[in-house]
């Protein structure tokens, strides 16, 4: 269980996200999430425009999707390492290994392995139910229904 932040805590834990409702667009929800993720310890590296540009250079995504917050998050989460960074920001008993070197969209199996470890950690350490989590295939499909989950 993560510790409660103190006033001296340089990285306070923000309140939990509430699942997006139909009144807020997916685009706006992703913009809000990107803003919140900027406060997660060590996550700022994944929001670096140069990193995003390099990721898109090696993927079939279009140049316009590089500026779309939905696509940005989708691609980042598919890398797996940003998910591990989010999990580690909760200060779990056991940190997840963050593989920034082997994960790229050109090496999808390494990315999927990182996503798998994130999902297992959410089930075991955070006590999430299977129904509350996305599956690896949902994350890698070109369908926003799985991504929203």
């Amino acid at each position: 269980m993560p510790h409660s932040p103190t006033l001296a805590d340089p990285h306070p834990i923000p309140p939990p996200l509430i699942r997006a409702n139909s009144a807020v667009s997916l685009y706006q929800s992703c913009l809000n999430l990107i803003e919140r993720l900027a406060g997660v310890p060590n996550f700022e590296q994944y929001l670096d425009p140069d990193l995003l540009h390099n990721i898109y250079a090696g993927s079939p995504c279009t140049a316009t999707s590089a500026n779309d917050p939905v696509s940005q998050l989708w691609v980042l989460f598919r890398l797996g390492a940003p998910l591990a960074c989010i999990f580690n920001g909760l200060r779990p008993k056991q940190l997840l290994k963050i593989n920034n070197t082997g994960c790229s969209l050109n090496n999808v199996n390494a990315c999927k392995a990182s996503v798998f470890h994130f999902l297992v950690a959410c089930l075991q350490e955070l006590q999430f139910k299977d129904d509350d989590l996305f599956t690896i295939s949902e994350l890698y499909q070109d369908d926003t229904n799985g991504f929203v989950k």
Side-chain angles (χ1 to χ4, degrees), residues 31-116:
L31 278 177
N32 294 341
L33 182 55
I34 288 172
E35 185 177 313
R36 292 176 59 87
L37 289 172
V40 172
N42 302 315
F43 198 86
E44 65 278 352
Q45 65 183 319
Y46 300 111
L47 299 176
D48 179 9
D50 290 336
L51 172 71
L52 292 170
H53 176 73
N54 290 337
I55 292 170
Y56 280 102
S59 78
C61 300
T62 64
T64 55
S65 64
N67 296 323
D68 170 24
V70 177
S71 298
Q72 288 175 355
L73 285 176
W74 207 341
V75 167
L76 283 176
F77 292 163
R78 285 177 174 179
L79 290 175
L83 293 173
C85 182
I86 292 168
F87 181 82
N88 290 347
L90 296 172
R91 300 179 191 108
K93 292 176 190 168
Q94 184 168 348
L95 297 176
L96 290 178
K97 181 181 176 203
I98 297 178
N99 183 358
N100 285 322
T101 56
C103 290
S104 74
L105 295 179
N106 295 327
N107 186 1
V108 75
N109 287 338
C111 297
K112 286 182 178 181
S114 292
V115 173
F116 172 78

